[in-house]
Amino acid sequence: MSVIVFHAGIVAADTRAGFGNGWISPERAQKIWTTPHGVAGIVGDWAPVDVIREWTFTNLKKPPPKVGEKTTIIEFHRGDGVFVTENDWRFRQTIGPHGFLAWGSGRIPAMGAFYAGVDARRAVEIAMLLDNDCGGDVTVLPLEEDDNG
């Protein structure tokens, strides 16, 4: 599985790619990526990742691709909120009063870390310590464009 978090305009994720049979890929999985609208990511089943990436770059006005019950797509839109697609159902995710969210198998330790006052990168690091399905490196992407982009 995975952990993807959002806090203070930052999206962060682990990079472990594991499979149901216990095999962990030596390759680094890019679970979050920048899009023309902000940042997008995927947790769960990786089979449809190429279709999802293409959709986040070119077809957001169309319904999301059919991803099945084991895949969650998270879209972080600049100025327009967070959208989640699960089981072919897309909804706007409410960000609570504390301003942070987490998805994937590492979401519970990540949320606990947020409540303890850490930033997005550290929340992913803590999730990787406490959830055996998370690991690898931490990818961090800002939701807002910098002055050069």
Side-chain angles (χ1 to χ4, degrees), residues 25-112:
S25 171
E27 299 296 319
R28 184 176 186 267
Q30 192 64 37
K31 298 176 183 181
I32 56 175
W33 57 90
T34 57
T35 73
H37 311 284
V39 175
I42 180 175
V43 295
D45 183 2
W46 272 78
V49 70
D50 292 333
V51 172
I52 292 167
R53 281 191 176 142
E54 180 180 340
W55 175 74
T56 63
F57 278 100
T58 61
N59 298 315
L60 280 179
K61 294 186 190 264
K62 294 181 180 178
K66 301 284 186 195
V67 295
E69 64 185 46
K70 294 183 179 181
T71 302
T72 300
I73 305 168
I74 306 125
E75 309 157 57
F76 305 88
H77 291 222
R78 281 184 221 99
D80 196 26
V82 179
F83 295 86
V84 177
T85 302
E86 293 179 325
N87 298 322
D88 302 324
W89 180 56
R90 186 172 187 238
F91 59 93
R92 183 186 300 265
Q93 176 75 54
T94 302
I95 299 173
H98 301 292
F100 47 77
L101 289 169
W103 297 264
S105 64
R107 72 188 173 284
I108 293 172
M111 290 296 287

Side-chain angles (χ1 to χ4, degrees), residues 109-130:
M111 290 296 287
F114 279 139
Y115 279 107
V118 304
D119 64 12
R121 174 184 291 276
R122 188 68 181 136
V124 171
E125 291 170 346
I126 290 168
M128 291 187 320
L129 289 172
L130 298 172

Side-chain angles (χ1 to χ4, degrees), residues 3-7 10-14 32 120-121 124 138-141:
V3 63
I4 295 177
V5 303
F6 173 78
H7 179 54
I10 300 295
V11 181
D14 73 314
I32 56 175
R121 174 184 291 276
V124 171
V138 179
T139 303
V140 176
L141 297 174

